[in-house]
Amino acid sequence: FAEILIAIGLFFVVLNTIRTPAQLRQVLQATALAGSAEAAIGIFLYFIPPAWSIRLLSALGRFNYPTGAGVLRYIEDNPELPMRAIGTSVDPNVLGGLMVLIGGLLIPQLFARRPLFRRWISAGMLLLVVTCLYLTYSRAALLGFAAASLLVALLRYRKLLILLVIAGLLFFLLPQTQDYVTRLIEGLQAQDRATQMRLGEYKDALILISRYPWFGVGFAGTPDIDTYLGVSSAYLLMAEQMGLVGVGVFLLFLVRLYLAVWRGWRRVRAQGDEELEPLMLGAWAGLSGALVAGVLDHYFFNFDFPHSVTLFWLFIGWCAAAAYMALQAPASSAPGGGAHAAG
């Protein structure tokens, strides 16, 4: 519980330390590099022999990482089905969520006039992230990444729509992706075991929420013997623990944040700020993808994955910091100079 509070508290740390576009750029560069490195690790561990992957990951046991054959994960926990990439994230869905955040951050760099890295480097990093995301077989993360890409395409870079259409056609038509397509269709039709279990969790969560609607049951467990705490949806999990009041406060916070980011983004667009705009849009896309993925998964609000909660609130903080810089800049600034004046 203390780790979750610390993670949320980092939002205020970001607002009080990231005060200029140069600082934001430096932090996002480091985040993109670290996320791309994790993607490379995930791909490497996926394709080497399973015995090697088990041995390498088990060596992390001294840091309380799981050990043994169970460190490898498969679709529906069935070794006869395809393996899922996990990197060093313990759970493939958690790794998928990380790839959504990093992917959203990198997408605008393909088109920005002042990208975080050279364009070909950004493209290579994004290729690693997308490949790793694909290998996680996380349908929630895939939908989150699609939402992040669509946000960037509709708001700023319309050429991306063409790339998304081509990628979508390849995804549904290539023979190598048909297992993934089948799994996605089964999920939409609630035919596979994982989706059916998820629907059961949602039903049980609604029962618990209906009994304790306003303030939830807290974070220690449920008072009723016939209910349990835990569901594959960040929002339903919030409602279980904090009630509708807690979820309502969180959603109102997000509405306020998005209004500020929208106003700030329109201002940097009008001023032609080529430095702050792609940074703001990348953080915004990553956060939006995470919010979409959170509908179908819980790792951005789960005590078992405090690192995911931390990254989630860091992205919220970066969005708010970028919006603050944009809105505090003098309206009469010359193109490209307004964000510098915000510091």
Side-chain angles (χ1 to χ4, degrees), residues 210-338:
S210 67
R211 293 181 185 178
Y212 306 92
W214 300 115
F215 298 102
V217 298
F219 299 89
T222 63
D224 301 329
I225 194 172
D226 61 332
T227 59
Y228 59 92
L229 192 60
V231 57
S232 295
S233 171
Y235 306 101
L236 288 178
L237 185 58
M238 286 183 192
E240 286 184 339
Q241 296 175 324
M242 303 189 301
L244 299 179
V245 172
V247 175
V249 170
F250 176 69
L251 294 179
L252 285 175
F253 168 78
L254 287 180
V255 169
R256 179 67 182 87
L257 173 69
Y258 266 62
L259 288 175
V261 174
W262 171 251
R263 289 172 53 216
W265 180 78
R266 289 186 63 185
R267 188 163 185 177
V268 297
R269 282 282 292 135
Q271 295 177 346
D273 191 331
E274 298 176 358
E275 181 176 19
L276 185 57
E277 182 192 0
L279 303 180
M280 175 183 289
L281 190 56
W284 194 9
L287 174 61
S288 299
L291 290 172
V292 171
V295 175
L296 299 174
D297 232 318
H298 55 72
Y299 39 79
F300 290 123
F301 189 78
N302 190 308
F303 284 7
D304 293 332
F305 305 106
H307 59 294
S308 292
V309 183
T310 299
L311 278 170
F312 178 72
W313 281 94
L314 283 174
F315 268 77
I316 291 178
W318 293 332
C319 284
Y324 180 81
M325 295 176 204
L327 294 174
Q328 292 298 310
S332 59
S333 295

Side-chain angles (χ1 to χ4, degrees), residues 164-241:
L164 291 177
V165 171
I166 295 174
L169 290 175
L170 292 175
F171 176 74
F172 283 102
L173 297 178
L174 284 177
Q176 294 85 349
T177 61
Q178 292 311 299
D179 289 343
Y180 208 127
V181 173
T182 299
R183 176 169 164 77
L184 185 62
I185 294 174
E186 288 178 348
L188 293 174
Q189 297 177 346
Q191 293 180 344
D192 63 299
R193 184 167 64 93
T195 303
Q196 291 171 356
M197 292 176 61
R198 222 167 228 169
L199 292 176
E201 289 180 357
Y202 296 162
K203 180 180 178 181
D204 295 340
L206 292 175
I207 292 174
L208 179 60
I209 294 168
S210 67
R211 293 181 185 178
Y212 306 92
W214 300 115
F215 298 102
V217 298
F219 299 89
T222 63
D224 301 329
I225 194 172
D226 61 332
T227 59
Y228 59 92
L229 192 60
V231 57
S232 295
S233 171
Y235 306 101
L236 288 178
L237 185 58
M238 286 183 192
E240 286 184 339
Q241 296 175 324

Side-chain angles (χ1 to χ4, degrees), residues 5-69:
L5 292 181
I6 292 171
I8 296 173
L10 286 176
F11 168 79
F12 302 100
V13 174
V14 169
L15 287 184
N16 283 279
T17 56
I18 307 298
R19 307 304 295 270
T20 67
Q23 292 173 332
L24 180 61
R25 180 184 180 87
Q26 188 177 34
V27 170
L28 295 186
Q29 281 179 327
T31 303
L33 286 171
S36 300
E38 175 65 4
I41 292 172
I43 296 170
F44 173 74
L45 292 174
Y46 186 88
F47 284 108
I48 64 175
W52 294 9
S53 299
I54 294 173
R55 183 174 180 180
L56 289 173
L57 290 173
S58 296
L60 300 176
R62 66 194 66 186
F63 303 109
N64 205 30
Y65 197 89
T67 59

